[in-house]
Amino acid sequence: VEESLSSSVFGDLHAMTHNIPNVWQSADHLCVVWCLQFVLVVNRFLHSIIDLDKKSNSKFIANKEIRLTKAYQFFMGGPSSGAEQLSTLTNNMIDEEDWIEDIRRNFQHKFDTGLPKTRVQMIRLDPNPLYKFLNVDVFNLDTKEWIFGCEANEMLSNMRYCSIAVSLSNSSQYLPDNGFSRQNAQINLHLLKVKNPRWTHVILKFPKTTQPFQFNIDINNMDDRAVQIHMPKWYNFGQNELAETQLDSTFYNLNIYGLSYKYQAVAIYVHVKSCRGESSSVVTKTSNSWSKGFEKFSSFYNKNHTVTFVYTPNDKPVEKNASVRVSLHLNPSCRYSISYSQSLSLMMSRIVQQFAPWLPAHCTAILFLSLKHQITVTTKEDHFKFGMFHLALSKSTPFFLITASRLFTKITLMFKIIPQPDLYNYSMMVSFLIHGVALAVLILMNTIIWIAIAFCGNFGHKVLLRFISLPIPPLSSALVTCIRKFPTAIGILLIGVALATCGGTALLCANLIYFILLSKMYEEYLEQFVFKTAKKISQRLFGKLKSADKPTSDDTAASTSLRNDSHVKKGHEMNNIQFHLPLFLLLILISIINFPCFILWAKAYRLTPSLKPDASLVPALVVLSNLSILWQIKSPKNM
């Protein structure tokens, strides 16, 4: 299921499962019932909106505003829609804390036995460009209130501190962990200083604990950790090297430009070069500015080679010049090499997911164009004949129309005087791909039908005999003969089946009848072919007519006319097959589209013999009525 399908302007809240706090996996409409991470969040939300009356009876809170506030709290990670978290003041107990200021920009501290005292790590707000951006990873910390901003102008012995600080916990978020909780905070220190000119430090407050604890600090100028990626051309699937990370670096930002469509996909490869005695870890976060609520996490632990697939759930608006951001959270004790490529497998799967409904429309268009081409083969002087269907398929594909229309649009956009046309939402490559697949599907179906007609026609005829078997065998054969001679009867019977059961059932039965009629046409064509071949062999064996028996000119003209009529008659059955093949394929397409109605009717047959309401009834009645007429008038002979 596409992520964008759950977004609606009529909904109060839209949250993707992998973006819900403490839910790191993508859960579709089937997985939500057993995905423990998601189930726990839903249970907490449901318990939070329960109200107890005076008799201790539980019921849901009637106030919608309260329910919506709780929903934003559990599913969006905030108190309400668009509301900023309120800053809180914290009084610090200086006597029980260690206030430490480190001048290093990149360092880590690991405490295997915990912290004996509360540790306050101080980070100076320095105008130096190298001190622009702060990235902090904290492991196994129980509290969310751990990062603050303050004016540290007070002294106690040789320790500098601040007694009042403002919480910056809204800058922190949880990341996927490997047994220990992991929180991350990213702050632009220069921007923070501009907003709060009196502040001197950002402080990280870690309470004492007996559990293992670790924090990583990475201060940089942000530009060194930003890598620009331009989307490769649609035909380029090679792997491109980006960069090698620096030692002690904890994060990198990859900005992907050109990833504008939902079907596009990029693979980010992270390979471990070396590690200082620790296992590697890679956590990726994918987000963009035009898809609200889209933040996708992927985590890899103890792996030397990782692949992250990046895509966007919504198409980028034309007016936006934005990029897809991939944030890499790395182990500072390891060095990595980063590369990327266009992902062919994921791109094709997303194209199938999003554009598969286009396939029947393209197949139908090709079939109608093929019919038109087959009809135009006959000239005014010739007898009516139909072109070969497989040749018509290859000559009626409008690839040139797609190219011409796109080129015309590109040229039109260059002139500002002409009104700007609506831009295409998808590239030309998708149109070519879907149309090419539709053509390949029709060619494959045509081949299968010919093989089935040649080898399975007699079997289908026997199946029909068994299906309509009567107590007296001659009556069954007579009924089949009547069906062939008077196909309107079978059409009326199928219409009755559609009214009594569902349209999908009647269409499936019509496919079987049509297949048997085609097989009988092929049998008659083979009989004519064998007769013609035997006549040629006899002429070669017994020689030409003697000169005495040569016909006169009048007899020659008459015999020529008879031969022409005979030739038309011999080609009649092949004309029938070539005419009915595209119609049979159209019937198959309509049956496939209405097949879900047949499945629904079959499941509900024990409850009711007919499907109501039946979405396939009207299409079935229209198709069966027209087929009855075409079968009865012996088309295309009498057209």
Side-chain angles (χ1 to χ4, degrees):
V1 180
E2 290 186 54
E3 295 91 339
S4 59
L5 294 180
S6 59
S7 177
S8 173
V9 295
F10 303 102
D12 294 321
L13 181 145
H14 171 243
M16 300 179 186
T17 53
H18 50 68
N19 195 36
I20 296 174
N22 298 324
V23 180
W24 311 113
Q25 300 297 327
S26 177
D28 59 16
H29 60 293
L30 297 178
C31 300
V32 292
V33 297
W34 55 262
C35 179
L36 181 60
Q37 294 176 347
F38 180 73
V39 169
L40 290 177
V41 174
V42 174
N43 287 344
R44 295 189 188 103
F45 164 68
L46 293 177
H47 280 84
S48 68
I49 60 174
I50 291 178
D51 189 18
L52 298 177
D53 57 14
K54 296 180 180 179
K55 297 182 180 180
S56 298
N57 295 323
S58 60
K59 61 179 181 179
F60 288 117
I61 298 174
N63 192 327
K64 182 181 178 181
E65 294 296 330
I66 298 178
R67 297 200 307 268
L68 191 58
T69 301
K70 293 291 185 181
Y72 273 102
Q73 177 183 349
F74 285 95
F75 297 121
M76 302 294 290
S80 61
S81 174
E84 296 182 356
Q85 291 187 350
L86 297 177
S87 299
T88 59
L89 298 178
T90 303
N91 293 321
N92 300 294
M93 294 177 289
I94 308 303
D95 297 337
E96 301 178 4
E97 300 170 350
D98 285 336
W99 288 68
I100 302 173
E101 182 174 358
D102 202 315
I103 62 173
R104 293 177 296 174
R105 294 192 299 117
N106 306 93
F107 59 94
Q108 308 86 39
H109 283 291
K110 187 175 183 180
F111 306 91
D112 294 330
T113 58
L115 289 172
K117 293 180 63 176
T118 298
R119 180 188 179 101
V120 181
Q121 192 72 39
M122 304 178 67
I123 300 172
R124 178 182 293 274
L125 297 179
D126 196 322
N128 191 322
L130 297 178
Y131 288 81
K132 181 179 180 180
F133 194 78
L134 169 66
N135 183 80
V136 185
D137 288 321
V138 181
F139 298 87
N140 206 22
L141 185 65
D142 294 334
T143 179
K144 188 174 175 60
E145 297 287 337
W146 57 276
I147 183 168
F148 305 88
C150 72
E151 181 183 358
N153 54 7
E154 302 173 69
M155 297 293 296
L156 179 63
S157 299
N158 294 327
M159 186 172 61
R160 190 177 183 181
Y161 72 96
C162 55
S163 58
I164 298 178
V166 178
S167 173
L168 300 176
S169 60
N170 56 347
S171 300
S172 67
Q173 64 175 342
Y174 284 93
L175 295 180
D177 58 84
N178 187 28
F180 296 101
S181 65
R182 179 177 182 178
Q183 297 187 57
N184 172 263
Q186 294 184 347
I187 298 177
N188 190 323
L189 300 179
H190 287 185
L191 184 61
L192 187 66
K193 180 67 174 178
V194 172
K195 292 182 178 180
N196 305 276
R198 299 187 61 182
W199 286 6
T200 60
H201 290 79
V202 170
I203 60 175
L204 313 177
K205 185 176 181 179
F206 307 129
K208 63 179 181 179
T209 178
T210 58
Q211 300 296 323
F213 173 75
Q214 179 182 350
F215 68 90
N216 305 325
I217 292 180
D218 184 4
I219 304 174
N220 53 80
N221 68 346
M222 197 175 183
D223 295 335
D224 295 339
R225 306 298 172 82
V227 181
Q228 312 300 327
I229 299 176
H230 294 277
M231 189 69 185
K233 297 294 184 181
W234 63 269
Y235 52 82
N236 183 9
F237 295 95
Q239 189 168 334
N240 305 295
E241 295 291 335
L242 276 179
E244 289 190 5
T245 64
Q246 303 173 7
L247 199 62
D248 296 329
S249 58
T250 60
F251 88 102
Y252 273 80
N253 282 332
L254 309 180
N255 299 314
I256 306 177
Y257 292 91
L259 191 61
S260 306
Y261 302 109
K262 294 187 294 184
Y263 65 86
Q264 293 178 308
V266 174
I268 304 296
Y269 304 93
V270 180
H271 180 70
V272 179
K273 303 288 289 186
S274 61
C275 280
R276 295 182 302 195
E278 293 187 10
S279 59
S280 63
S281 65
V282 178
V283 176
T284 63
K285 173 187 173 183
T286 306
S287 61
N288 61 57
S289 59
W290 64 86
S291 299
K292 185 179 179 181
F294 175 68
E295 288 184 355
K296 186 174 183 179
F297 291 89
S298 301
S299 58
F300 307 92
Y301 292 93
N302 302 323
K303 292 184 178 180
N304 293 328
H305 186 74
T306 63
V307 182
T308 302
F309 296 101
V310 182
Y311 58 88
T312 175
N314 298 302
D315 294 331
K316 182 176 72 68
V318 179
E319 64 275 5
K320 275 188 172 290
N321 185 19
S323 63
V324 176
R325 170 168 291 188
V326 180
S327 299
L328 300 178
H329 299 269
L330 309 172
N331 188 339
S333 300
C334 300
R335 292 181 67 248
Y336 304 85
S337 64
I338 306 173
S339 58
Y340 74 99
S341 69
Q342 192 169 203
S343 176
L344 177 62
S345 58
L346 182 58
M347 185 180 70
M348 296 305 298
S349 65
R350 291 186 65 80
I351 287 178
V352 171
Q353 180 189 47
Q354 298 168 28
F355 300 103
W358 289 19
L359 202 58
H362 280 258
C363 291
T364 304
I366 294 175
L367 287 175
F368 279 121
L369 290 173
S370 301
L371 270 172
K372 176 181 177 297
H373 177 78
Q374 287 178 283
I375 294 173
T376 55
V377 169
T378 305
T379 60
K380 294 182 179 180
E381 293 78 11
D382 294 337
H383 292 279
F384 182 80
K385 62 180 180 180
F386 238 66
M388 303 299 289
F389 178 59
H390 64 278
L391 296 177
L393 283 177
S394 60
K395 294 182 179 180
S396 59
T397 53
F399 285 107
F400 66 94
L401 291 178
I402 299 175
T403 307
S405 62
R406 291 301 179 91
L407 290 177
F408 176 76
T409 303
K410 295 289 186 181
I411 296 174
T412 305
L413 290 174
M414 297 171 59
F415 299 95
K416 297 182 179 180
I417 300 176
I418 302 176
Q420 296 290 315
D422 294 335
L423 295 178
Y424 290 97
N425 292 329
Y426 306 100
S427 67
M428 190 184 300
M429 186 269 294
V430 174
S431 300
F432 275 114
L433 183 62
I434 299 299
H435 201 77
V437 170
L439 178 61
V441 168
L442 289 177
I443 293 175
L444 180 62
M445 292 176 65
N446 181 46
T447 305
I448 294 174
I449 289 173
W450 270 111
I451 295 174
I453 289 174
F455 294 98
C456 305
N458 192 30
F459 174 75
H461 190 262
K462 291 180 180 179
V463 170
L464 181 63
L465 283 175
R466 178 63 61 89
F467 182 72
I468 60 172
S469 59
L470 297 175
I472 305 175
L475 292 179
S476 299
S477 301
L479 183 57
V480 173
T481 304
C482 291
I483 290 174
R484 293 182 58 193
K485 297 294 184 181
F486 306 101
T488 305
I490 194 64
I492 296 174
L493 179 62
L494 291 175
I495 291 175
V497 171
L499 295 173
T501 57
C502 77
T505 307
L507 290 174
L508 292 177
C509 296
N511 279 277
L512 178 61
I513 299 300
Y514 215 152
F515 174 74
I516 293 173
L517 291 176
L518 285 173
S519 65
K520 290 303 175 183
M521 294 177 191
Y522 184 70
E523 289 179 5
E524 294 177 3
Y525 167 74
L526 287 180
E527 291 176 0
Q528 293 180 1
F529 177 77
V530 171
F531 176 77
K532 183 179 179 181
T533 304
K535 184 177 180 180
K536 288 183 178 180
I537 293 174
S538 63
Q539 287 180 353
R540 289 190 177 184
L541 289 176
F542 297 102
K544 298 181 180 180
L545 294 174
K546 297 180 180 180
S547 58
D549 298 332
K550 287 183 179 180
T552 61
S553 59
D554 295 338
D555 295 337
T556 303
S559 62
T560 302
S561 177
L562 289 173
R563 282 198 301 269
N564 290 336
D565 294 339
S566 175
H567 175 73
V568 172
K569 186 175 181 181
K570 291 173 184 176
H572 167 62
E573 293 303 329
M574 182 54 68
N575 277 342
N576 279 348
I577 296 175
Q578 298 299 335
F579 173 77
H580 285 284
L581 266 179
L583 298 182
F584 183 42
L585 287 173
L586 283 173
L587 178 62
I588 292 176
L589 289 176
I590 297 174
S591 302
I592 293 174
I593 294 174
N594 292 279
F595 188 72
C597 293
F598 170 75
I599 298 296
L600 183 60
W601 168 79
K603 289 184 176 181
Y605 180 74
R606 294 182 179 180
L607 302 176
T608 174
S610 61
L611 182 63
K612 293 181 181 180
D614 185 8
S616 62
L617 181 59
V618 174
L621 294 178
V622 173
V623 170
L624 295 175
S625 301
N626 287 278
L627 282 180
S628 301
I629 297 173
L630 291 175
W631 291 341
Q632 186 63 42
I633 65 176
K634 305 295 183 183
S635 57
K637 179 181 178 181
N638 298 326
M639 290 180 63

